Each structure stands twice: as C-alpha cells, then as structure tokens.
Amino acid sequence: MINILIYVLLFSVALCIYRMGKGPTPPDRAVTLDILGTLMVGFCAILALITGKDFYMNIAISWALLSYVGSIAIAKFLENRSFDE
Amino acid sequence: MKFIGEFIILFGVWLLLTWSLAPAQLIAGVVISLLVIGLVGDMFLFKAGRALNPIRIFWMIMYIPYLIWYIILANLDVAYRVIHPDLPIRPGIVKVKTSLTTDMAKTFLANSITLTPGTLTVDIKGDELYIHWIYVHGNNVKDWSKAIIGRFEPILRRIFE
Amino acid sequence: MFWDTAGYTIIVIGVLFDLLGCIGLVRLPDVYNRLQAATKCVTLGTAFLLFGLFLINGFGALGIKALVCAAAVLITSPTGAHALARGSHRGGVKLWEGSVIDKYAEENEGVD
C-alpha cells in the first residue's frame, strides 16, 4: 500500500527530470531544482512513516532549509547581481 | 528585553527540534542559543511589547485556519487548470496598491498572496506589489487590489499595526 | 484508529497534489506559470504529507518534528518562488506570448 505512494512520488520526480532536461531557459531548471528539494522532503516523510524512526525528520528539515538557501543563491545569480548585496 | 525574547524563541525552537529533556541537550541548547544571539541577534525584527499583546496573538491564531482554507481552494483551482485539456489560463503581471505600512505586515501579505489562488508576488516597491496572476480579470489597479488582497488586509492590519 | 485513517487519507491527498504539481510543471507554458504549480500544489502536497505523519504519530518526537518541518516548508517555499520569479524577470526571461498584460516590464523599462 505504502509502496504505491513511493511509486507515485518517483513518477513525479521523473516528470521533474524530463522538464529539467528539456529546459528551455535556465530559470526553468532552477524551478525544477527547487521542486525536487520539496519532493525529497516528502520522500523523507514516507520513509519515516514506514520505519518509525525520527531522524528522517531531521534530514527533512535540514534539506528544506538548504534547498531554500540554494534557490535564493541561484535567483541572485540569474538576476546578474553580486552575492554580497 | 529584546535579548530575553530572542532567547525564549531560539530555545523554544531547540526544544521542539530535539524533543527531549536530557541535561546534555538542554546545556547544548543554551550554549547554541547564546552563540546565535551573539552572532546575528541584531537582525531580529522583534519587539517584545507588540508581539506579546494578547489581541494580536488572538488574531494571529484566527488568521492561520483562514489562510489554510484559501490555500486549499487555491490548490483545487490550480489543479483544475492543470488537468483541463485546454489549459484555461490567461496569465499576466498586474500591479496592486496596499495600505499596510510595516515591513513585517508586507512580508506576510506577500507570502499569503503567493500561497493563494493563482497569484505569485514578483516584486515590492514601496506600497506597490507586482503580482503574476494565472487568470487575469478586471482592468485597473482598483479591481485587481480588491480581488487579490482585499481578503487579507483587514486581518493583517489588526495583527501587525 | 480514527487518527490513523485520517492521517493516511491526508497523506494520499498530499501525494496526489505532488503529482498534479509535477504534471503542471510539464504542461504549463512558461517559467512563471510553472512556478505557480510549484509553489501551490507541491508545497501544499508536502505539507499535507507531514501533517498526516503528525496525525498518525501524535505528540512524540516524530510528530512534533513533522510539524516543525511543515512550518519550515510553508514559510520558505513562497519566499524562494518569489526570489526565482524576480530573478528570472530581471534576467530577461519573457512572459508566454498568450499573456495579456505585463505591468512590471511597462513601468521598469530602462531602470536596470
């Protein structure tokens, strides 16, 4: 039953990777990277549901925050601004 | 006073994250909270007298379910547009004017807009917000402002101003 | 038992929203519309997943951490989407040709 949820999430990741390969502009790929980070939090939640271990949530929290910092850095780069503004 | 408020918030987050009362965890939490305050304590937008006012806290608690209801409506709306075979979208960037003045209120307004029906904040300049809308209707600033931010402004004004 | 059923229902709804968000990512025409699908469907889907985890596990270490994680996702995701939209507009990415209006480009010509 829970395996079906994992397959659905994997199919979502496959759709994201299709968009990441197709482009056509750099911001599209950046958006896809942002979504992949959020989906990874979902994977951690389902793994925690299966195993009942709570350290998966530590991974999920740090992954969410690091993915956010990465998106901000890529956005600044796309805007042609310096990083120390 | 500001220092104590910051310490309570940081230590509370530490307790939620570790969720244990072992002495080692508590000591590590105190040390790390003090370290964070020493490094970036000046950046906090925190005023103890205003944040602890019970009326503001009451409206904040009322605002959360209100926002979640609109977020769910937004999801159904966007999901309908995505799976409809003809893609019924009419996108564009519009401008709205807000009457909120504090930075905190504008930040919450922008985040609420981004999470609700088909709208995405692109930029803020003074009291003007530029918003990408997935299905534009109306044709001047007044119509757009009423349709997009009319439902959040009264409550946010009670919380933050 | 009731909370288990409610939690699993919410988790299934959340995963379906994730899937719809990714279908939107493939089908919608330009980067701004794709960001709409990303910030709404995928964020709410993951928040639902974490909230369902909280309903199943209750007030233990796992449930509370799931709530904290849901709050982190709900706060950071719109901010990141806003930064990406602003960055791509200023970086020169045009709107889809079916768009009806672009106030931001009209009022900021030659500012940069």
Side-chain angles (χ1 to χ4, degrees), chain B:
Chain B
M1 193 62 213
K2 188 182 174 187
F3 171 79
I4 297 171
E6 286 171 8
F7 183 78
I8 291 171
I9 290 177
L10 288 173
F11 195 61
V13 172
W14 175 269
L15 284 181
L16 284 181
L17 282 175
T18 55
W19 201 250
S20 78
L21 289 173
Q25 301 279 12
L26 293 182
I27 294 169
V30 171
V31 170
I32 291 177
S33 304
L34 290 176
L35 198 67
V36 170
I37 291 174
L39 287 174
V40 294
D42 302 339
M43 293 183 188
F44 263 55
L45 289 171
F46 179 77
K47 294 195 183 81
R50 295 182 78 172
L52 296 179
N53 186 335
I55 298 171
R56 293 179 198 276
I57 292 177
F58 170 76
W59 282 108
M60 191 77 209
I61 292 170
M62 295 300 288
Y63 183 62
I64 293 171
Y66 186 74
L67 183 63
I68 288 176
W69 170 243
Y70 276 106
I71 293 175
I72 292 172
L73 284 185
N75 273 274
L76 293 176
D77 182 64
V78 173
Y80 163 73
R81 291 185 198 286
V82 165
I83 56 177
H84 195 283
D86 299 334
L87 280 181
I89 59 173
R90 195 164 170 267
I93 294 182
V94 300
K95 182 172 86 169
V96 301
K97 259 190 176 5
T98 174
S99 57
L100 300 171
T101 51
T102 57
D103 284 347
M104 199 71 184
K106 277 187 208 160
T107 311
F108 264 77
L109 180 65
N111 269 7
S112 309
I113 287 171
T114 304
L115 281 169
T116 52
T119 50
L120 172 69
T121 316
V122 177
D123 202 358
I124 299 182
K125 277 188 182 159
D127 62 345
E128 293 169 344
L129 282 83
Y130 295 91
I131 292 172
H132 182 269
W133 200 356
I134 204 167
Y135 196 86
V136 177
H137 44 85
N139 49 15
N140 59 42
V141 175
K142 216 171 238 172
D143 289 356
W144 298 330
S145 303
K146 201 176 160 208
I148 295 176
I149 60 177
R151 54 175 98 96
F152 300 122
E153 268 193 327
I155 296 184
L156 281 175
R157 191 172 296 122
R158 286 196 181 102
I159 297 173
F160 292 107
E161 299 195 354

Side-chain angles (χ1 to χ4, degrees), chain C residues 31-104:
Chain C
V31 63
Y32 306 100
N33 292 311
R34 285 176 198 140
L35 268 173
Q36 301 264 10
T39 52
K40 290 176 188 64
C41 293
V42 178
T43 305
L44 190 83
T46 308
F48 266 24
L49 251 170
L50 292 163
F51 189 68
L53 198 58
F54 167 71
L55 286 185
I56 290 171
N57 283 284
F59 287 92
L62 185 50
I64 294 293
K65 281 178 192 173
L67 272 193
V68 173
C69 190
V73 168
L74 280 179
I75 291 173
T76 58
S77 174
T79 321
H82 154 71
L84 279 171
R86 185 165 180 266
S88 45
H89 200 288
R90 288 203 166 186
V93 177
K94 294 277 180 293
L95 268 73
W96 179 49
E97 63 265 22
S99 307
V100 287
I101 191 167
D102 189 354
K103 275 278 178 194
Y104 191 52

